[in-house]
């Protein structure tokens, strides 16, 4: 007996609607990280806070990853789920390399700062930027999860997991900045930078793993 499939009217249009939302969210993530990176690097240098500087550089690494995600969503919208294409794989490899370089720089500078007893001028902007970032990442995670569930897309849900990894960086920055502001112990800022370096190594390793696998997300919790 022939099986007849009934497709709910408007389903295709609804899926295209959610893909447009997912693409906009990816674009917002890229734009947000560009602005966050500029502000964080500026105040990181001005206030001599290594944790904020490292956080700002991480934002630019996330821009590279975000370009791969944006391209992935365009591919999913047209072709459906599948292995990452060459552009996505290259974006993941560049992202992984950048994370490793960031980690190496933070470990070296953090160790020197700890040895010399260097301390930031202030971590006020680190607290402000981290709170803004936590709020922004929470909103992005919420709506990316809605889009991923509406589309039944593991890849878009993995993108939400990437934003959760970014949220972890923000929480570390908040802890380091607030810790120094409350205690005046300069080593707290350097310790925060070293923790960011450890997270960067994790994300770099995962990016390279994903470039060889079947997910376009380079974040630890994407699998």
């Amino acid at each position: 007996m022939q099986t007849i499939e009934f497709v709910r009217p408007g389903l295709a249009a609804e899926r295209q609607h959610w893909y447009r939302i997912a693409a906009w969210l990816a674009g917002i993530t890229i734009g947000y990280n560009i602005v966050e990176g500029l502000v964080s690097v500026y105040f990181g240098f001005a206030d001599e806070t290594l944790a904020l500087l490292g956080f700002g550089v991480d934002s630019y690494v996330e821009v590279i990853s975000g370009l791969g995600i944006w391209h992935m969503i365009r591919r999913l919208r047209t072709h459906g789920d599948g292995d990452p294409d060459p552009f996505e794989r290259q974006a993941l490899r560049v992202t992984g390399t950048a994370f490793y370089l960031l980690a190496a720089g933070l470990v070296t500078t953090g160790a020197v700062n700890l040895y010399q007893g260097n301390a930031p001028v202030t971590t006020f902007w680190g607290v402000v930027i981290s709170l803004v970032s936590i709020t922004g990442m929470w909103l992005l995670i919420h709506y990316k999860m809605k889009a991923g569930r509406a589309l039944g897309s593991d890849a878009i849900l993995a993108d939400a997991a990437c934003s959760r990894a970014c949220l972890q960086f923000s929480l570390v920055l908040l802890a380091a900045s607030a810790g120094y502001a409350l205690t005046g112990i300069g080593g707290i800022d350097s310790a925060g930078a070293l923790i960011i370096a450890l997270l960067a190594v994790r994300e770099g390793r995962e990016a390279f793993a994903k470039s060889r696998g079947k997910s376009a997300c380079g974040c630890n919790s994407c699998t």
Side-chain angles (χ1 to χ4, degrees):
M1 180 181 296
Q2 184 177 5
T3 301
I4 300 176
E5 291 187 11
F6 293 94
V7 179
R8 180 165 60 86
L11 179 60
E14 182 179 341
R15 288 182 64 81
Q16 288 300 309
H17 167 73
W18 282 108
Y19 272 123
R20 283 194 295 273
I21 289 177
W24 271 104
L25 290 171
I28 290 170
T29 302
I30 293 169
Y32 174 82
N33 276 307
I34 290 173
V35 174
E36 181 182 76
L38 282 171
V39 174
S40 298
V41 169
Y42 173 81
F43 283 109
F45 272 119
D47 297 340
E48 299 179 11
T49 163
L50 185 57
L52 182 55
L53 179 60
F55 181 79
V57 176
D58 168 72
S59 296
Y60 288 114
V61 180
E62 300 294 347
V63 169
I64 302 170
S65 176
L67 289 171
I69 295 295
W70 180 77
H71 178 83
M72 176 198 73
I73 291 171
R74 292 185 62 199
R75 173 177 60 78
L76 294 177
R77 186 176 180 179
T78 305
H79 304 294
D81 288 327
D83 291 353
D85 67 12
F87 179 88
E88 294 162 44
R89 292 182 186 278
Q90 184 62 26
L92 284 165
R93 286 191 288 267
V94 173
T95 299
T97 301
F99 270 129
Y100 283 147
L101 291 174
L102 170 61
L106 287 177
V107 168
T108 302
T109 310
V112 170
N113 280 358
L114 285 171
Y115 177 75
Q116 295 180 345
N118 295 333
V121 176
T122 176
T123 56
F124 170 79
W125 287 109
V127 173
V128 173
I129 291 168
S130 61
L131 289 174
V132 171
S133 181
I134 288 168
T135 303
M137 286 301 108
W138 184 88
L139 289 171
L140 284 170
I141 291 166
H142 173 73
Y143 287 106
K144 287 178 180 182
M145 290 292 291
K146 284 188 68 174
R149 287 167 179 162
L151 292 165
S153 172
D154 290 338
I156 293 176
L157 289 173
D159 181 30
C162 284
S163 295
R164 279 197 292 271
C166 297
L167 183 60
Q168 294 176 359
F169 282 87
S170 303
L171 290 170
V172 172
L173 175 63
L174 176 60
S177 300
Y180 174 76
L182 292 172
T183 67
I185 300 173
I188 293 178
D189 178 68
S190 297
L194 293 175
I195 295 173
I196 289 175
L198 289 175
L199 292 176
V201 169
R202 184 193 70 183
E203 298 308 309
R205 182 174 63 249
E206 191 68 17
F208 278 112
K210 295 300 179 182
S211 72
R212 299 187 293 270
K214 293 189 176 183
S215 171
C217 180
C219 303
N220 184 62
S221 52
C222 293
T223 54

